[in-house]
Amino acid sequence: MEYQEPTESDKEIVNFVVNHCDRWRDWRDVNCLDDWLEYERIFNGEWDAQDKTRDSERSRIVTPATQQAVETRHAEIMEAIFGQGEFFDIQDDIRDVNGSPLDVAAIKAQLMEDFKVDKIRKSIDQIELLAEIYGTGIGEIVVKTEKVYVPATQAIPGQMGQAAIGVVEQDRIAVKIVPVNPRNFLFDPNGTSIDDCMGVAIEKYVSIHKIVKGQEEGIYRKVKVGTDSMDTDLEPTQEVSQYEDDKVKLLTYYGLVPREYLEQLENEDGEVEDFFPEDSLQDEYSDLVEAIVVIANDGTLLKAEANPYMMKDRPILAYQDDTVPNRLLGRGTVEKAYNSQKAIDAQVRSHLDSLALTTSPMMAMDATRLPRGAKFEVKPGKAILTNGNPNEILFPFKFGNTDGSNLTTAKEFERMLLMATGTLDSQGMITAVSRDAGQGGISMATASIIKKYKRTLVNFQEDFMIPFITKAAYRYMQFDPERYPTVDMKFIPTAALGIIAREHEQ
């Protein structure tokens, strides 16, 4: 394979994208990264030395209160979305003269079938879980052509009544949504939504064989690409040791770039009219076009092209788990539970540290009256040698009794955690109902919780689910027009509050 040498145009567009992404990454890391890493550890129940609540702390337990809150909210939202079976409906535009109710019904059935094949539900499940942990659910829409093998029977030429049984290879357009960890996501901090940002980017490690395959298929430019040094912050989980071989750092940028950079790459002779003085700040941002730029190892341009989608939209979706006005990033369940979680951990760890002192046997002794070289330890049935009366030489030593109020206090903090996150476990439901044992008991216990879930559900439907289905339908219409005719339609969410709401109704 002959490699292309990077040109000055390549260097210009790489510098433009990488410089912006570096500044966005610095802002994100300073404000969010340390908190996100701790949120992940809390959810996974992992202890780290920097998570100590006091210097003398020895216990490493991470209590599961926040894990329960996250999983409760996650399960309820997923049940609300997919519990009805069909999670969207299509409304035909009355002004559309070409469409018909039959077209709409066929497209809906086709979309549901393709979503099942591409495992959209599983991907959305992961995105919603990330939103509960980090506060923001992010997904990347990926369009690819897949090889599908279908069982088939073909008649054998020249032989009557005989057929060959085998498989037929077909191409299928797949539209998938890939979960994106917020630690792999970069965005313009000045923007309040994906479309409001100058650009967004996804950076992650991929195996080098995928890059080579893309070059062989003509997706990426044939340039020399090597492996990259490790950045553990980009890894999906925190491991003791990350695998470092055959990995390439891939930066995919979706956003605005100067038009002249793309025109130089495409070897076009179009003239760009400058409205501002050269080398001024306005000149750099005066003529921007929507583009997709893929860069390997922060310096090698693999791909740069104008947005190829017919609606000129960005294939990135994001929603806030809990609303934070005028900000792209939202507030997650772990963030809301953080203070109560730390208080619970402090109380339980203090209790366990106290148990270590009050339950383990300790002895005070006269070291001058023990045999030379004696190794003193307490074991059942062990004989202890002393030079003199043991009652005078050995004395059991105790620090006192462990106070059980620590666990009582921890339970009170757990109640505060449930209040902060708007979740309710089975025991909490019984307690809440017992306080009002009349006919309206269950109603009062669930009404406020259902309202809080509805806020997250509305965010998810309006900012993520319906835009995703719309973008997916447009991509099928563009790249697979035989199966998806171009019909003007509107998508409607059909999700409703799930288990708690239905139990409340019963």
Side-chain angles (χ1 to χ4, degrees):
M1 181 186 297
E2 293 185 2
Y3 295 117
Q4 301 174 6
E5 293 296 328
T7 64
E8 288 300 321
S9 300
D10 294 352
K11 296 177 181 178
E12 286 180 349
I13 194 168
V14 167
N15 288 335
F16 179 85
V17 172
V18 171
N19 287 341
H20 281 83
C21 288
D22 286 345
R23 287 179 293 190
W24 300 346
R25 187 188 303 107
D26 292 340
W27 178 89
R28 183 205 65 187
D29 290 352
V30 168
N31 290 279
C32 306
L33 184 59
D34 290 340
D35 292 337
W36 285 347
L37 293 173
E38 186 171 4
Y39 295 163
E40 180 187 328
R41 291 194 296 270
I42 289 174
F43 175 71
N44 292 332
E46 297 176 355
W47 180 88
D48 191 89
Q50 57 187 315
D51 298 336
K52 282 186 175 183
T53 57
R54 65 181 193 278
D55 291 338
S56 60
E57 192 173 81
R58 298 178 63 213
S59 175
R60 298 186 176 188
I61 187 173
V62 179
T63 55
T66 298
Q67 300 172 41
Q68 173 185 285
V70 168
E71 290 169 356
T72 299
R73 282 184 57 89
H74 176 58
E76 179 62 25
I77 294 298
M78 294 307 298
E79 175 68 17
I81 299 165
F82 297 108
Q84 308 288 332
E86 295 182 354
F87 53 91
F88 71 93
D89 201 352
I90 300 179
Q91 178 181 359
D92 196 6
D93 194 337
I94 27 182
R95 295 173 294 179
D96 180 24
V97 295
N98 299 321
S100 67
L102 183 61
D103 293 332
V104 169
I107 289 176
K108 177 182 176 181
Q110 192 68 60
L111 271 175
M112 292 296 295
E113 179 182 335
D114 285 331
F115 285 166
K116 288 180 180 178
V117 173
D118 292 327
K119 301 180 180 179
I120 296 301
R121 176 171 180 169
K122 181 178 179 180
S123 298
I124 290 177
D125 184 281
Q126 297 177 28
I127 292 169
E128 212 287 320
L129 180 59
L130 289 172
E132 296 294 340
I133 298 172
Y134 298 103
T136 312
I138 307 166
E140 178 186 16
I141 300 175
V142 176
V143 183
K144 59 174 65 175
T145 302
E146 294 182 342
K147 296 291 184 183
V148 179
Y149 296 94
V150 181
T153 303
Q154 292 182 348
I156 300 177
Q159 298 185 21
M160 296 296 293
Q162 295 188 4
I165 300 175
V167 294
V168 175
E169 182 180 303
Q170 297 177 352
D171 287 337
R172 174 183 174 272
I173 299 297
V175 178
K176 301 184 179 183
I177 184 159
V178 180
V180 178
N181 191 307
R183 291 192 280 114
N184 298 109
F185 182 67
L186 303 174
F187 64 96
D188 178 9
N190 294 321
T192 58
S193 66
I194 295 295
D195 294 330
D196 190 39
C197 293
M198 175 186 155
V200 296
I202 297 171
E203 53 178 357
K204 59 184 178 182
Y205 285 109
V206 299
S207 178
I208 193 170
H209 83 272
K210 295 183 179 180
I211 305 296
V212 176
K213 182 180 179 182
Q215 291 176 329
E216 292 174 345
E217 295 177 352
I219 300 173
Y220 298 141
R221 305 171 70 194
K222 292 180 174 62
V223 294
K224 191 172 183 179
V225 177
T227 56
D228 188 59
S229 58
M230 285 296 298
D231 181 0
T232 55
D233 292 335
L234 295 181
E235 295 296 340
T237 55
Q238 301 176 61
E239 305 288 349
V240 176
S241 176
Q242 300 286 358
Y243 187 73
E244 301 184 10
D245 297 338
D246 300 330
K247 298 172 79 169
V248 177
K249 183 180 178 182
L250 198 68
L251 176 71
T252 307
Y253 173 85
Y254 303 99
L256 300 173
V257 298
R259 184 188 303 273
E260 57 180 330
Y261 293 165
L262 289 181
E263 291 182 348
Q264 291 170 2
L265 290 173
E266 296 169 1
N267 294 322
E268 295 179 359
D269 296 327
E271 295 183 0
V272 180
E273 182 178 357
D274 288 332
F275 295 98
F276 298 97
E278 191 173 352
D279 297 332
S280 67
L281 185 63
Q282 291 90 338
D283 181 57
E284 184 178 0
Y285 298 99
S286 62
D287 189 14
L288 304 177
V289 294
E290 195 71 27
I292 298 176
V293 182
V294 182
I295 300 171
N297 299 334
D298 292 331
T300 305
L301 182 65
L302 292 178
K303 179 181 179 180
E305 63 177 0
N307 192 320
Y309 303 115
M310 65 179 186
M311 305 303 289
K312 302 301 179 185
D313 55 342
R314 293 175 181 172
I316 298 290
L317 294 167
Y319 80 98
Q320 297 180 338
D321 182 66
D322 193 18
T323 304
V324 179
N326 297 321
R327 182 184 172 193
L328 189 145
L329 299 176
R331 194 165 63 115
T333 301
V334 182
E335 183 176 352
K336 290 186 282 188
Y338 180 78
N339 285 327
S340 298
Q341 175 69 37
K342 299 295 282 188
I344 296 170
D345 287 345
Q347 291 292 145
V348 175
R349 290 174 185 174
S350 175
H351 181 76
L352 295 179
D353 287 348
S354 175
L355 285 176
L357 295 174
T358 59
T359 60
S360 300
M362 290 178 284
M363 296 288 291
M365 64 197 73
D366 183 354
T368 62
R369 302 176 67 180
L370 291 176
R372 186 184 300 271
K375 181 181 179 183
F376 186 85
E377 55 185 10
V378 177
K379 288 183 180 179
K382 179 179 175 61
I384 301 175
L385 303 178
T386 59
N387 296 326
N389 186 358
N391 291 329
E392 299 175 358
I393 301 171
L394 303 177
F395 180 76
F397 187 75
K398 200 170 185 181
F399 269 110
N401 297 320
T402 297
D403 188 0
S405 63
N406 276 330
L407 292 181
T408 305
T409 307
K411 290 181 180 179
E412 187 64 20
F413 282 128
E414 185 175 350
R415 185 185 66 83
M416 295 180 187
L417 186 145
L418 296 178
M419 292 170 55
T421 57
T423 56
L424 200 64
D425 62 342
S426 57
Q427 186 63 38
M429 176 73 78
I430 295 170
T431 304
V433 174
S434 64
R435 285 199 296 264
D436 181 11
Q439 294 181 352
I442 188 69
S443 221
M444 295 178 64
T446 58
S448 62
I449 296 172
I450 292 175
K451 291 175 184 177
K452 292 179 181 179
Y453 281 125
K454 282 183 178 178
R455 296 173 63 239
T456 299
L457 189 59
V458 168
N459 280 353
F460 179 81
Q461 289 175 339
E462 295 189 358
D463 293 341
F464 193 91
M465 178 59 78
I466 296 307
F468 163 67
I469 298 172
T470 304
K471 290 174 186 284
Y474 287 147
R475 277 150 181 75
Y476 279 124
M477 291 177 188
Q478 179 178 358
F479 298 106
D480 198 358
E482 294 181 0
R483 298 171 64 235
Y484 288 88
T486 305
V487 180
D488 190 12
M489 53 193 160
K490 295 180 180 178
F491 296 93
I492 305 171
T494 59
L497 263 295
I499 297 173
I500 292 182
R502 283 202 289 275
E503 290 178 352
H504 164 53
E505 291 171 1
Q506 292 172 4

